[in-house]
Amino acid sequence: MASEMASSTLPWLTLSIFVPIFFGLLVLLIGRDDNPGPARVLSLVGSIAGLLVTIPLYTGFDPGTADMQFVEKAPWIEAFNLNYHLGIDGISVWFVLLTAFITIIVVLAGWEVIKSRVAQYMAAFLILSGLMVGVFCALDGMLFYVFFEATLIPMYIIIGAWGGPNRVYAAFKFFLYTLMGSLLTLIAFIYLWHASGGSFDVATWHKLPLSYTEQVFIFVALLAAFAVKVPMWPVHTWLPDAHVEAPTGGSIVLAAIMLKLGAYGFLRFSLPIAPDASHSLAGLMIALSLIAVIYIGLVAIVQDDMKKLVAYSSVAHMGFVTLGFFLFNVTGMEGAIIQMISHGFVSGAMFMCIGVMYDRLHTRRIDAYGGVVHRMPRFVTYFVLFSMANAGLPGTSGFIGEFTVILGAVQYDFWIGLLAATALIWGAGYSLWMVKRVAFGPVANEQVDGMSDLCSREFLILGLLAILTLFMGIYPKPFTDLMHPSVQALLQHVSISKL
């Protein structure tokens, strides 16, 4: 089998997790505040090395099977039957690659902007990168939980140490929301360990003959953690605060990767472990998703802070993800996964664009700008492209994900599809409204008149994200080909009642 063949090669998943963590610790050791140059260079080398060790996961992946590939397993804590058990399928492989790529973007984004405690800043992102890859690779429930919770620590430090004026409040709110939700998940995992006869193996949990009551309990307990992480309405209020106070790199990682950890949890745990509860509670999940898509989209329109606007748009876009999961058809679920990947490119680029303007004017208020195109034409070209992708313009990755989920919703129920499609209107509304006020019209003031266009580093970052956004929007086939067998296998498993 492909998984057996893959597991006999080098431990690529272990390398994907621990190469960035190793470089992060190394950066901490050599970093000096009076000479940050070596820390920056080593961080870039570490992030590139982290991406390079993930490339064999794609080139050696067998797209014809839904089996777990590149499997690694070793005893961890034998007294509790805990194992260091890793593997990826056609769904998780994309998020490992996305995490490694975004880490390079974040290192480059903070290259000149971060001037104090540079080594600690870069190290926090490298360590966070390895921990997030671990979440996407873990096939042992407790290993997943350890990685899942450990990601809070570096992000808490990033927001609290390098954030804005209210960074301590935002960091505490982020930490408490996500930690409190996860406590119920820990209880659910312990229950599953007991029900399976003392196993934390996720594949074993998928086969447990749980009663309907047990499934509902498990589903609600897991929902407490994953809904906060996505975040779903109404537990989304921590996200705008975290985004507004976080440094640009923190906002990029938060939107591009960390929100996906919760969505991935639904795919790996909630749906396959509690299929009957998932079906019976699908109406609730669809309703919450539509509220996020429509109501939060309207909330985004009235924002006067660019970061808050994009933060609320992230909640709306992630509403498409959870909507696609609970339609229980291939079109909706593949569209949701594509939306997750696309959102990583587009939201990361939007926060980078806002960071570029903030570095020059030190404000994120929309009314402080106007006529930016006259001073920064190269920047505005990118800004308009990513804003249109954020609105779901055809030809961009944003359109592929949203349109596919809408198709899946129409297959499920026409009226649900119609309500979901209104998101294209709200998306165009808040994106175009922001672009019009920030980029076009006469030059607003002397500060805008003194703004300089993109430097080569900023041009490279936005260029890479633009290429991926357009490539995925024009030719999404490579993405869907890899995930298709895994999505079909998951839906087949979910369609079989355990009762």
Side-chain angles (χ1 to χ4, degrees):
M1 291 176 62
S3 57
E4 294 172 350
M5 291 171 58
S7 63
S8 64
T9 62
L10 287 173
W12 292 114
L13 294 180
T14 293
L15 290 172
S16 299
I17 295 170
F18 288 103
V19 163
I21 291 176
F22 168 78
F23 275 95
L25 296 174
L26 197 59
V27 168
L28 278 178
L29 287 174
I30 72 157
R32 290 170 50 190
D33 285 343
D34 59 341
N35 183 21
R40 291 192 178 107
V41 173
L42 187 59
S43 299
L44 182 59
V45 171
S47 62
I48 293 173
L51 177 63
L52 290 177
V53 295
T54 65
I55 300 301
L57 301 177
Y58 177 77
T59 57
F61 194 89
D62 182 357
T65 178
D67 293 335
M68 287 293 170
Q69 302 184 43
F70 299 94
V71 174
E72 302 173 32
K73 188 173 184 179
W76 179 23
I77 305 175
E78 296 188 43
F80 298 101
N81 198 19
L82 294 175
N83 294 292
Y84 176 77
H85 191 188
L86 306 175
I88 55 170
D89 61 3
I91 297 171
S92 51
V93 62
W94 287 116
F95 299 108
V96 173
L97 292 166
L98 179 64
T99 302
F101 171 73
I102 291 296
T103 304
I104 298 177
I105 296 297
V106 167
V107 170
L108 289 172
W111 194 266
E112 295 177 359
V113 178
I114 303 300
K115 301 184 185 301
S116 65
R117 303 186 299 278
V118 173
Q120 292 90 328
Y121 177 86
M122 297 295 186
F125 278 110
L126 288 169
I127 293 169
L128 177 61
S129 175
L131 296 173
M132 292 189 297
V133 170
V135 172
F136 295 123
C137 298
L139 298 181
D140 180 277
M142 190 51 64
L143 185 65
F144 171 90
Y145 186 81
V146 169
F147 280 130
F148 190 81
E149 291 302 291
T151 60
L152 298 181
I153 300 170
M155 182 52 74
Y156 173 80
I157 294 171
I158 289 164
I159 297 173
W162 292 276
N166 294 320
R167 58 186 180 273
V168 175
Y169 165 78
F172 265 105
K173 192 173 182 180
F174 157 75
F175 194 90
L176 289 177
Y177 263 67
T178 49
L179 181 64
M180 289 175 66
S182 299
L183 292 177
L184 282 176
T185 298
L186 179 60
I187 296 172
F189 281 7
I190 294 172
Y191 183 87
L192 290 167
W193 173 81
H194 177 74
S196 60
S199 174
F200 279 104
D201 182 62
V202 175
T204 301
W205 289 357
H206 290 180
K207 300 170 185 176
L208 286 176
L210 300 172
S211 68
Y212 177 73
T213 302
E214 288 176 309
Q215 288 192 40
V216 171
F217 164 75
I218 295 297
F219 186 91
V220 172
L222 296 176
L223 178 65
F226 301 151
V228 169
K229 205 79 162 185
V230 167
M232 297 180 69
W233 182 90
V235 289
H236 66 285
T237 56
W238 64 269
L239 184 67
D241 291 323
H243 271 310
V244 167
E245 298 304 324
T248 298
S251 290
I252 292 173
V253 166
L254 193 58
I257 310 297
M258 290 200 75
L259 305 190
K260 314 305 182 295
L261 302 182
Y264 178 77
F266 283 117
L267 294 175
R268 190 62 79 218
F269 293 93
S270 302
L271 291 171
I273 293 173
D276 298 305
S278 298
H279 278 281
S280 63
L281 296 174
L284 171 65
M285 299 301 293
I286 289 171
L288 294 176
S289 301
L290 288 175
I291 290 172
V293 167
I294 299 170
Y295 168 67
I296 301 300
L298 292 171
V299 171
I301 293 177
V302 301
Q303 299 305 312
D304 56 9
D305 184 298
M306 287 186 286
K307 258 197 173 184
K308 267 198 174 179
L309 188 151
V310 178
Y312 279 114
S313 79
S314 289
V315 178
H317 287 129
M318 291 304 291
F320 267 100
V321 172
T322 50
L323 173 63
F325 289 166
F326 289 89
L327 299 173
F328 300 108
N329 57 50
V330 173
T331 307
M333 187 165 286
E334 289 189 353
I337 297 169
I338 291 171
Q339 175 73 349
M340 290 166 70
I341 302 168
S342 166
H343 184 255
F345 300 145
V346 177
S347 66
M350 289 298 295
F351 283 114
M352 180 65 196
C353 287
I354 294 169
V356 166
M357 288 187 283
Y358 182 81
D359 292 341
R360 287 155 174 77
L361 248 60
H362 302 292
T363 178
R364 291 181 295 267
R365 291 190 59 85
I366 295 174
D367 57 13
Y369 294 85
V372 173
V373 68
H374 301 293
R375 296 295 174 263
M376 303 176 69
R378 294 198 301 174
F379 166 78
V380 170
T381 302
Y382 282 128
F383 186 50
V384 171
L385 168 64
F386 294 124
S387 297
M388 295 300 97
N390 203 41
L393 183 74
T396 66
S397 60
F399 173 77
I400 298 297
E402 293 186 5
F403 181 69
T404 312
V405 172
I406 292 169
L407 285 181
V410 170
Q411 292 176 21
Y412 183 86
D413 182 278
F414 173 78
W415 295 107
I416 291 175
L418 181 63
L419 288 172
T422 61
L424 298 175
I425 300 172
W426 317 133
Y430 56 70
S431 297
L432 291 172
W433 184 229
M434 178 175 65
V435 168
K436 175 184 180 295
R437 289 182 288 171
V438 170
F440 298 111
V443 175
N445 51 55
E446 293 180 0
Q447 288 76 22
V448 173
D449 194 43
M451 293 174 72
S452 58
D453 211 345
L454 297 174
C455 66
S456 56
R457 175 183 55 86
E458 295 165 336
F459 189 85
L460 172 64
I461 295 170
L462 294 175
L464 290 172
L465 291 167
I467 290 169
L468 290 169
T469 299
L470 292 172
F471 176 78
M472 191 177 189
I474 295 169
Y475 190 59
K477 188 174 183 294
F479 299 90
T480 56
D481 282 353
L482 251 64
M483 70 179 69
H484 190 68
S486 297
V487 169
Q488 283 191 314
L490 175 58
L491 286 172
Q492 184 178 7
H493 176 83
V494 173
S495 68
I496 300 173
S497 175
K498 294 187 178 184
L499 303 181

PDB file of all heavy atoms in Angstrom, residues 27 37 53 71 89 91 100 120 148 169 203 220 230 256 271 286 298 348 380 382 396 408 418 425 463 468 480 494:
ATOM      1  N   VAL A  27      17.888  30.216  16.914  1.00  0.00           N
ATOM      2  CA  VAL A  27      17.794  31.671  16.809  1.00  0.00           C
ATOM      3  C   VAL A  27      17.775  32.300  18.200  1.00  0.00           C
ATOM      4  O   VAL A  27      18.405  33.339  18.452  1.00  0.00           O
ATOM      5  CB  VAL A  27      16.539  32.079  16.007  1.00  0.00           C
ATOM      6  CG1 VAL A  27      16.269  33.578  16.138  1.00  0.00           C
ATOM      7  CG2 VAL A  27      16.707  31.714  14.542  1.00  0.00           C
ATOM      8  N   GLY A  37      21.031  41.115  12.874  1.00  0.00           N
ATOM      9  CA  GLY A  37      21.227  40.583  11.526  1.00  0.00           C
ATOM     10  C   GLY A  37      21.332  39.068  11.465  1.00  0.00           C
ATOM     11  O   GLY A  37      20.612  38.419  10.683  1.00  0.00           O
ATOM     12  N   VAL A  53      11.686  20.618   3.509  1.00  0.00           N
ATOM     13  CA  VAL A  53      11.448  19.261   4.002  1.00  0.00           C
ATOM     14  C   VAL A  53       9.991  18.839   3.845  1.00  0.00           C
ATOM     15  O   VAL A  53       9.669  17.661   4.042  1.00  0.00           O
ATOM     16  CB  VAL A  53      11.890  19.102   5.474  1.00  0.00           C
ATOM     17  CG1 VAL A  53      13.394  19.279   5.604  1.00  0.00           C
ATOM     18  CG2 VAL A  53      11.145  20.066   6.392  1.00  0.00           C
ATOM     19  N   VAL A  71       3.514   7.517   7.184  1.00  0.00           N
ATOM     20  CA  VAL A  71       3.152   7.197   8.559  1.00  0.00           C
ATOM     21  C   VAL A  71       4.406   6.944   9.406  1.00  0.00           C
ATOM     22  O   VAL A  71       5.330   6.260   8.985  1.00  0.00           O
ATOM     23  CB  VAL A  71       2.227   5.964   8.605  1.00  0.00           C
ATOM     24  CG1 VAL A  71       1.951   5.539  10.046  1.00  0.00           C
ATOM     25  CG2 VAL A  71       0.925   6.251   7.872  1.00  0.00           C
ATOM     26  N   ASP A  89      -3.057  12.691   4.902  1.00  0.00           N
ATOM     27  CA  ASP A  89      -3.849  12.227   3.770  1.00  0.00           C
ATOM     28  C   ASP A  89      -4.000  13.387   2.783  1.00  0.00           C
ATOM     29  O   ASP A  89      -3.319  14.414   2.909  1.00  0.00           O
ATOM     30  CB  ASP A  89      -5.207  11.677   4.234  1.00  0.00           C
ATOM     31  CG  ASP A  89      -6.047  12.734   4.956  1.00  0.00           C
ATOM     32  OD1 ASP A  89      -5.595  13.899   5.052  1.00  0.00           O
ATOM     33  OD2 ASP A  89      -7.147  12.387   5.420  1.00  0.00           O
ATOM     34  N   ILE A  91      -6.126  15.587   2.510  1.00  0.00           N
ATOM     35  CA  ILE A  91      -6.626  16.819   3.110  1.00  0.00           C
ATOM     36  C   ILE A  91      -5.512  17.534   3.862  1.00  0.00           C
ATOM     37  O   ILE A  91      -5.234  18.713   3.638  1.00  0.00           O
ATOM     38  CB  ILE A  91      -7.811  16.523   4.056  1.00  0.00           C
ATOM     39  CG1 ILE A  91      -8.979  15.934   3.267  1.00  0.00           C
ATOM     40  CG2 ILE A  91      -8.237  17.789   4.794  1.00  0.00           C
ATOM     41  CD1 ILE A  91     -10.113  15.417   4.125  1.00  0.00           C
ATOM     42  N   ALA A 100       4.167  25.810   6.141  1.00  0.00           N
ATOM     43  CA  ALA A 100       5.594  26.029   5.887  1.00  0.00           C
ATOM     44  C   ALA A 100       5.818  27.245   4.992  1.00  0.00           C
ATOM     45  O   ALA A 100       6.756  28.031   5.210  1.00  0.00           O
ATOM     46  CB  ALA A 100       6.204  24.778   5.254  1.00  0.00           C
ATOM     47  N   GLN A 120      13.724  36.794  19.484  1.00  0.00           N
ATOM     48  CA  GLN A 120      12.570  36.197  20.153  1.00  0.00           C
ATOM     49  C   GLN A 120      11.343  36.190  19.243  1.00  0.00           C
ATOM     50  O   GLN A 120      10.564  35.232  19.234  1.00  0.00           O
ATOM     51  CB  GLN A 120      12.258  36.949  21.452  1.00  0.00           C
ATOM     52  CG  GLN A 120      13.327  36.787  22.529  1.00  0.00           C
ATOM     53  CD  GLN A 120      14.400  37.849  22.454  1.00  0.00           C
ATOM     54  OE1 GLN A 120      14.723  38.333  21.365  1.00  0.00           O
ATOM     55  NE2 GLN A 120      14.968  38.209  23.609  1.00  0.00           N
ATOM     56  N   PHE A 148      -2.125  21.103  19.582  1.00  0.00           N
ATOM     57  CA  PHE A 148      -3.228  22.061  19.434  1.00  0.00           C
ATOM     58  C   PHE A 148      -3.155  23.144  20.511  1.00  0.00           C
ATOM     59  O   PHE A 148      -3.301  24.338  20.230  1.00  0.00           O
ATOM     60  CB  PHE A 148      -4.557  21.301  19.526  1.00  0.00           C
ATOM     61  CG  PHE A 148      -5.774  22.110  19.164  1.00  0.00           C
ATOM     62  CD1 PHE A 148      -6.132  22.306  17.840  1.00  0.00           C
ATOM     63  CD2 PHE A 148      -6.581  22.647  20.152  1.00  0.00           C
ATOM     64  CE1 PHE A 148      -7.266  23.036  17.509  1.00  0.00           C
ATOM     65  CE2 PHE A 148      -7.716  23.381  19.841  1.00  0.00           C
ATOM     66  CZ  PHE A 148      -8.062  23.573  18.507  1.00  0.00           C
ATOM     67  N   TYR A 169      -4.710  42.947  26.827  1.00  0.00           N
ATOM     68  CA  TYR A 169      -6.131  42.565  26.850  1.00  0.00           C
ATOM     69  C   TYR A 169      -6.441  41.581  25.731  1.00  0.00           C
ATOM     70  O   TYR A 169      -7.094  40.551  25.948  1.00  0.00           O
ATOM     71  CB  TYR A 169      -6.994  43.823  26.708  1.00  0.00           C
ATOM     72  CG  TYR A 169      -8.437  43.536  26.372  1.00  0.00           C
ATOM     73  CD1 TYR A 169      -9.325  43.108  27.362  1.00  0.00           C
ATOM     74  CD2 TYR A 169      -8.916  43.693  25.077  1.00  0.00           C
ATOM     75  CE1 TYR A 169     -10.649  42.832  27.051  1.00  0.00           C
ATOM     76  CE2 TYR A 169     -10.230  43.424  24.750  1.00  0.00           C
ATOM     77  CZ  TYR A 169     -11.101  42.997  25.745  1.00  0.00           C
ATOM     78  OH  TYR A 169     -12.411  42.728  25.433  1.00  0.00           O
ATOM     79  N   ALA A 203      -7.756   6.578  14.455  1.00  0.00           N
ATOM     80  CA  ALA A 203      -8.439   5.629  13.571  1.00  0.00           C
ATOM     81  C   ALA A 203      -9.314   4.661  14.372  1.00  0.00           C
ATOM     82  O   ALA A 203     -10.396   4.276  13.930  1.00  0.00           O
ATOM     83  CB  ALA A 203      -7.420   4.859  12.742  1.00  0.00           C
ATOM     84  N   VAL A 220     -20.644  17.942  20.935  1.00  0.00           N
ATOM     85  CA  VAL A 220     -20.744  19.240  21.614  1.00  0.00           C
ATOM     86  C   VAL A 220     -19.433  19.589  22.314  1.00  0.00           C
ATOM     87  O   VAL A 220     -18.987  20.747  22.291  1.00  0.00           O
ATOM     88  CB  VAL A 220     -21.910  19.219  22.618  1.00  0.00           C
ATOM     89  CG1 VAL A 220     -21.910  20.486  23.471  1.00  0.00           C
ATOM     90  CG2 VAL A 220     -23.241  19.085  21.882  1.00  0.00           C
ATOM     91  N   VAL A 230     -12.277  28.473  14.964  1.00  0.00           N
ATOM     92  CA  VAL A 230     -12.554  28.773  13.540  1.00  0.00           C
ATOM     93  C   VAL A 230     -12.489  30.270  13.219  1.00  0.00           C
ATOM     94  O   VAL A 230     -11.819  30.619  12.242  1.00  0.00           O
ATOM     95  CB  VAL A 230     -13.896  28.124  13.121  1.00  0.00           C
ATOM     96  CG1 VAL A 230     -14.376  28.664  11.775  1.00  0.00           C
ATOM     97  CG2 VAL A 230     -13.726  26.603  13.034  1.00  0.00           C
ATOM     98  N   ALA A 256      -4.213  32.994   8.318  1.00  0.00           N
ATOM     99  CA  ALA A 256      -3.859  32.031   7.275  1.00  0.00           C
ATOM    100  C   ALA A 256      -3.811  30.593   7.769  1.00  0.00           C
ATOM    101  O   ALA A 256      -4.155  29.663   7.039  1.00  0.00           O
ATOM    102  CB  ALA A 256      -2.508  32.404   6.650  1.00  0.00           C
ATOM    103  N   LEU A 271     -16.730  14.922  12.668  1.00  0.00           N
ATOM    104  CA  LEU A 271     -17.527  14.215  11.659  1.00  0.00           C
ATOM    105  C   LEU A 271     -17.330  12.704  11.703  1.00  0.00           C
ATOM    106  O   LEU A 271     -18.317  11.951  11.771  1.00  0.00           O
ATOM    107  CB  LEU A 271     -17.209  14.769  10.269  1.00  0.00           C
ATOM    108  CG  LEU A 271     -17.690  16.202   9.993  1.00  0.00           C
ATOM    109  CD1 LEU A 271     -17.125  16.710   8.679  1.00  0.00           C
ATOM    110  CD2 LEU A 271     -19.208  16.240   9.946  1.00  0.00           C
ATOM    111  N   ILE A 286     -25.364  24.592  10.062  1.00  0.00           N
ATOM    112  CA  ILE A 286     -25.630  25.373   8.846  1.00  0.00           C
ATOM    113  C   ILE A 286     -26.178  26.746   9.213  1.00  0.00           C
ATOM    114  O   ILE A 286     -25.780  27.769   8.624  1.00  0.00           O
ATOM    115  CB  ILE A 286     -26.607  24.607   7.932  1.00  0.00           C
ATOM    116  CG1 ILE A 286     -25.903  23.391   7.311  1.00  0.00           C
ATOM    117  CG2 ILE A 286     -27.148  25.517   6.832  1.00  0.00           C
ATOM    118  CD1 ILE A 286     -26.827  22.456   6.559  1.00  0.00           C
ATOM    119  N   LEU A 298     -22.143  41.867   6.975  1.00  0.00           N
ATOM    120  CA  LEU A 298     -22.717  43.207   7.128  1.00  0.00           C
ATOM    121  C   LEU A 298     -21.969  44.011   8.189  1.00  0.00           C
ATOM    122  O   LEU A 298     -21.775  45.222   8.052  1.00  0.00           O
ATOM    123  CB  LEU A 298     -24.203  43.086   7.499  1.00  0.00           C
ATOM    124  CG  LEU A 298     -25.112  42.530   6.396  1.00  0.00           C
ATOM    125  CD1 LEU A 298     -26.503  42.255   6.949  1.00  0.00           C
ATOM    126  CD2 LEU A 298     -25.194  43.487   5.216  1.00  0.00           C
ATOM    127  N   GLY A 348      -3.886  36.370   4.310  1.00  0.00           N
ATOM    128  CA  GLY A 348      -2.493  36.704   4.607  1.00  0.00           C
ATOM    129  C   GLY A 348      -2.037  37.905   3.800  1.00  0.00           C
ATOM    130  O   GLY A 348      -1.359  38.806   4.330  1.00  0.00           O
ATOM    131  N   VAL A 380      -1.038  49.519  -4.938  1.00  0.00           N
ATOM    132  CA  VAL A 380      -2.487  49.510  -5.163  1.00  0.00           C
ATOM    133  C   VAL A 380      -2.879  48.413  -6.150  1.00  0.00           C
ATOM    134  O   VAL A 380      -3.957  47.831  -6.042  1.00  0.00           O
ATOM    135  CB  VAL A 380      -2.971  50.901  -5.631  1.00  0.00           C
ATOM    136  CG1 VAL A 380      -4.417  50.849  -6.114  1.00  0.00           C
ATOM    137  CG2 VAL A 380      -2.830  51.908  -4.483  1.00  0.00           C
ATOM    138  N   TYR A 382      -1.613  45.411  -6.290  1.00  0.00           N
ATOM    139  CA  TYR A 382      -1.772  44.233  -5.437  1.00  0.00           C
ATOM    140  C   TYR A 382      -2.989  44.369  -4.523  1.00  0.00           C
ATOM    141  O   TYR A 382      -3.753  43.423  -4.330  1.00  0.00           O
ATOM    142  CB  TYR A 382      -0.523  44.022  -4.578  1.00  0.00           C
ATOM    143  CG  TYR A 382       0.644  43.407  -5.301  1.00  0.00           C
ATOM    144  CD1 TYR A 382       1.910  44.003  -5.249  1.00  0.00           C
ATOM    145  CD2 TYR A 382       0.503  42.211  -6.019  1.00  0.00           C
ATOM    146  CE1 TYR A 382       3.001  43.434  -5.896  1.00  0.00           C
ATOM    147  CE2 TYR A 382       1.588  41.640  -6.654  1.00  0.00           C
ATOM    148  CZ  TYR A 382       2.830  42.247  -6.594  1.00  0.00           C
ATOM    149  OH  TYR A 382       3.904  41.678  -7.235  1.00  0.00           O
ATOM    150  N   THR A 396      -9.904  34.267  -9.361  1.00  0.00           N
ATOM    151  CA  THR A 396      -9.093  34.232  -8.153  1.00  0.00           C
ATOM    152  C   THR A 396      -9.504  33.028  -7.302  1.00  0.00           C
ATOM    153  O   THR A 396     -10.586  32.470  -7.465  1.00  0.00           O
ATOM    154  CB  THR A 396      -9.264  35.511  -7.314  1.00  0.00           C
ATOM    155  OG1 THR A 396     -10.616  35.582  -6.821  1.00  0.00           O
ATOM    156  CG2 THR A 396      -8.962  36.746  -8.148  1.00  0.00           C
ATOM    157  N   GLY A 408     -22.539  23.198  -3.728  1.00  0.00           N
ATOM    158  CA  GLY A 408     -22.868  22.123  -2.800  1.00  0.00           C
ATOM    159  C   GLY A 408     -24.102  22.447  -1.977  1.00  0.00           C
ATOM    160  O   GLY A 408     -24.926  21.566  -1.688  1.00  0.00           O
ATOM    161  N   LEU A 418     -29.025  29.900  -1.875  1.00  0.00           N
ATOM    162  CA  LEU A 418     -29.342  31.293  -2.189  1.00  0.00           C
ATOM    163  C   LEU A 418     -28.855  32.228  -1.085  1.00  0.00           C
ATOM    164  O   LEU A 418     -28.248  33.274  -1.367  1.00  0.00           O
ATOM    165  CB  LEU A 418     -30.852  31.447  -2.378  1.00  0.00           C
ATOM    166  CG  LEU A 418     -31.345  32.860  -2.741  1.00  0.00           C
ATOM    167  CD1 LEU A 418     -30.794  33.296  -4.088  1.00  0.00           C
ATOM    168  CD2 LEU A 418     -32.867  32.905  -2.753  1.00  0.00           C
ATOM    169  N   ILE A 425     -22.305  39.392  -2.491  1.00  0.00           N
ATOM    170  CA  ILE A 425     -22.715  40.802  -2.492  1.00  0.00           C
ATOM    171  C   ILE A 425     -22.057  41.544  -1.336  1.00  0.00           C
ATOM    172  O   ILE A 425     -21.472  42.617  -1.512  1.00  0.00           O
ATOM    173  CB  ILE A 425     -24.251  40.913  -2.397  1.00  0.00           C
ATOM    174  CG1 ILE A 425     -24.919  40.206  -3.580  1.00  0.00           C
ATOM    175  CG2 ILE A 425     -24.683  42.378  -2.327  1.00  0.00           C
ATOM    176  CD1 ILE A 425     -26.425  40.096  -3.452  1.00  0.00           C
ATOM    177  N   GLY A 463       3.938  39.503  -4.395  1.00  0.00           N
ATOM    178  CA  GLY A 463       3.996  38.828  -5.686  1.00  0.00           C
ATOM    179  C   GLY A 463       3.805  37.322  -5.558  1.00  0.00           C
ATOM    180  O   GLY A 463       3.071  36.700  -6.334  1.00  0.00           O
ATOM    181  N   LEU A 468       0.043  32.612  -6.333  1.00  0.00           N
ATOM    182  CA  LEU A 468      -0.703  31.471  -5.799  1.00  0.00           C
ATOM    183  C   LEU A 468      -2.207  31.719  -5.843  1.00  0.00           C
ATOM    184  O   LEU A 468      -2.987  30.811  -6.150  1.00  0.00           O
ATOM    185  CB  LEU A 468      -0.251  31.188  -4.362  1.00  0.00           C
ATOM    186  CG  LEU A 468       1.167  30.626  -4.225  1.00  0.00           C
ATOM    187  CD1 LEU A 468       1.614  30.638  -2.778  1.00  0.00           C
ATOM    188  CD2 LEU A 468       1.244  29.206  -4.786  1.00  0.00           C
ATOM    189  N   THR A 480      -7.695  19.757  -5.971  1.00  0.00           N
ATOM    190  CA  THR A 480      -8.828  18.847  -5.804  1.00  0.00           C
ATOM    191  C   THR A 480      -8.440  17.399  -6.072  1.00  0.00           C
ATOM    192  O   THR A 480      -8.989  16.488  -5.454  1.00  0.00           O
ATOM    193  CB  THR A 480      -9.984  19.255  -6.729  1.00  0.00           C
ATOM    194  OG1 THR A 480      -9.522  19.295  -8.087  1.00  0.00           O
ATOM    195  CG2 THR A 480     -10.535  20.626  -6.349  1.00  0.00           C
ATOM    196  N   VAL A 494     -18.938   8.896   7.099  1.00  0.00           N
ATOM    197  CA  VAL A 494     -19.935   9.670   7.823  1.00  0.00           C
ATOM    198  C   VAL A 494     -21.354   9.219   7.468  1.00  0.00           C
ATOM    199  O   VAL A 494     -22.274   9.341   8.267  1.00  0.00           O
ATOM    200  CB  VAL A 494     -19.747  11.179   7.553  1.00  0.00           C
ATOM    201  CG1 VAL A 494     -20.864  11.993   8.156  1.00  0.00           C
ATOM    202  CG2 VAL A 494     -18.410  11.649   8.107  1.00  0.00           C
TER     203      VAL A 494
END
